Amino acid sequence: MIFKPRGENIKLEFLQSLRVHKKLEEKDENNYIYLEKGWLGEKQFDQLLLGLTNECLILNNLLLEVNNTKFQIDSLLITQKKIYIFEVKNYEGDYYIEGDRLHMISGKEIKNPLIQLTRSESLFRQLLQKLRFNFAVESRVVFINSEFYLYNAPMNGPFVFPTQLGRYLKSLNTVAATGVSSGHVKLAEKLVSLHIKEDPYSQMPIYTYEELEKGIVCERGCSFMEIANQNYLVCPNCGKLELKESAVLRSVRKLSLLFPDKKITTNLVMEWCGVISSRLTLRKYLLKKYKLVTIGKSSYFVKKDDD
Ligand SMILES: [Zn+2]
């Protein structure tokens, strides 16, 4: 069973939205592409783990700390016999390995995920020791993309390649079928309580409200939406249709994400969304999810408690 879901990727959502409002610097754009690719790979792996028996505990996306050192785990699987740590990579294309260095076929060296995994595993063992749990730990780098190939791959490396994934999961399912004890559940609860929430605003590009191009960004992050008809907006890039109300509310959520300190007013939303010209309509939409707070002559919207 899923004991801790992966949750949302605020950082990715943030960049996906920002990059339509403002042309990002190359390094930020590359970071966005990297994050998105990684996230898609992790989600794909989540789906595969869902196919396992319910007798094991799955904890996705853990950020933990031991001895003042933080480490991140893409997926953790707790079974009766062993705890598995998975580092998921969505690399695509041909790569080769030389010693402990990993290269793209073009020669460009990239971080070897094995080094990252070894570090995480060692820190996780230290954490278990500190928490006085005594479980066996095994870790694997999972290459999830079927278009990935690694030349010179070592035979006994802790890798699971795309063509091995099906068989590997079958073997995991056999291990996982025995069920877990209350000690395992205690550990899972402890790990969830120790999970550190990352600040999504750290290492993000700098921007101001004024410099951003205004408009409602398509849900798929491709472009600004335009009026399709009385009730719908359309993305000129991918053709996605969305109800005006849902698009506005989604866009206001992004506004709060990009500018957590800004007070949500009808005027601000009107400017931010661009395409909706009726204040009355905007107010009507906002009141579905927000309540109006009036202080003196000014009023603004705050999110309703039940959302
Ligand atoms: Zn679109």
Side-chain angles (χ1 to χ4, degrees):
M1 62 172 273
I2 305 269
F3 201 86
K4 179 189 175 295
R6 187 161 300 283
E8 293 173 309
N9 190 334
I10 304 278
K11 228 170 198 168
L12 178 62
E13 207 183 307
F14 183 98
L15 282 175
Q16 191 184 44
S17 183
L18 186 63
R19 66 192 284 278
V20 183
H21 292 284
K22 176 191 172 174
K23 188 166 169 34
L24 299 182
E25 279 179 36
E26 200 183 327
K27 71 169 175 41
D28 295 321
E29 180 67 17
N30 288 340
N31 185 26
Y32 162 73
I33 294 167
Y34 177 81
L35 282 177
E36 189 183 44
K37 189 130 200 173
W39 181 249
L40 289 176
E42 286 163 22
K43 297 290 268 185
Q44 206 183 326
F45 189 59
D46 290 353
Q47 285 303 314
L48 293 176
L49 285 188
L50 271 183
L52 293 181
T53 151
N54 258 337
E55 304 293 322
C56 54
L57 309 174
I58 301 166
L59 287 84
N60 289 324
N61 189 23
L62 285 169
L63 181 63
L64 300 164
E65 187 175 335
V66 66
N67 305 329
N68 291 319
T69 314
K70 279 188 188 140
F71 63 104
Q72 191 258 339
I73 294 175
D74 288 343
S75 293
L76 187 94
L77 178 72
I78 301 180
T79 71
Q80 174 70 37
K81 279 192 187 144
K82 252 182 212 169
I83 298 178
Y84 295 85
I85 294 177
F86 298 111
E87 174 68 32
V88 182
K89 291 294 173 204
N90 194 8
Y91 298 158
E92 195 176 331
D94 294 329
Y95 291 68
Y96 64 92
I97 198 159
E98 241 175 12
D100 57 2
R101 287 164 188 263
L102 184 66
H103 300 265
M104 295 166 92
I105 211 72
S106 62
K108 188 183 175 211
E109 188 180 345
I110 56 162
K111 259 197 233 162
N112 185 349
L114 192 53
I115 294 167
Q116 201 180 337
L117 186 73
T118 311
R119 176 182 176 273
S120 301
E121 186 185 314
S122 156
L123 290 165
F124 184 71
R125 284 180 199 279
Q126 292 174 44
L127 181 66
L128 281 185
Q129 222 165 37
K130 204 173 154 191
L131 299 171
R132 296 180 191 283
F133 282 101
N134 185 19
F135 295 124
V137 179
E138 192 174 302
S139 52
R140 289 279 185 271
V141 177
V142 176
F143 293 103
I144 193 98
N145 197 311
S146 59
E147 294 293 317
F148 173 78
Y149 189 77
L150 182 65
Y151 288 97
N152 300 339
M155 225 168 105
N156 48 5
F159 298 124
V160 182
F161 295 107
T163 46
Q164 300 174 313
L165 205 47
R167 277 174 291 142
Y168 182 72
L169 285 162
K170 260 189 206 153
S171 70
L172 263 188
N173 212 18
T174 316
V175 180
T178 36
V180 289
S181 69
S182 59
H184 293 100
V185 177
K186 256 190 204 131
L187 171 65
E189 282 168 350
K190 189 73 197 164
L191 291 175
V192 171
S193 76
L194 290 175
H195 171 64
I196 303 162
K197 273 207 175 141
E198 218 185 343
D199 174 12
Y201 298 100
S202 69
Q203 297 174 334
M204 280 291 131
I206 294 167
Y207 53 90
T208 61
Y209 177 80
E210 288 69 28
E211 72 172 322
L212 298 192
E213 200 181 329
K214 312 297 188 284
I216 297 179
V217 177
C218 163
E219 202 173 9
R220 295 172 182 153
C222 22
S223 154
F224 288 118
M225 300 190 86
E226 295 168 357
I227 301 279
N229 55 42
Q230 203 188 341
N231 295 317
Y232 281 89
L233 296 181
V234 63
C235 169
N237 188 65
C238 73
K240 162 113 187 141
L241 285 167
E242 190 176 8
L243 272 172
K244 282 182 183 172
E245 179 183 307
S246 126
V248 166
L249 291 170
R250 193 169 53 71
S251 187
V252 175
R253 195 178 155 256
K254 300 276 164 164
L255 173 63
S256 300
L257 183 71
L258 292 170
F259 301 97
D261 298 331
K262 269 205 183 297
K263 282 207 164 36
I264 304 297
T265 62
T266 315
N267 282 343
L268 180 72
V269 172
M270 193 153 153
E271 185 181 50
W272 177 248
C273 293
V275 286
I276 314 279
S277 51
S278 157
R279 287 175 54 90
L280 216 64
T281 307
L282 282 176
R283 259 179 82 102
K284 193 180 80 192
Y285 294 162
L286 283 165
L287 285 169
K288 295 253 163 104
K289 293 273 175 190
Y290 296 77
K291 58 183 179 204
L292 192 62
V293 177
T294 308
I295 297 172
K297 277 183 187 166
S298 69
S299 54
Y300 56 91
F301 291 90
V302 291
K303 205 114 181 53
K304 283 183 186 166
D305 295 336
D306 53 341
D307 282 307

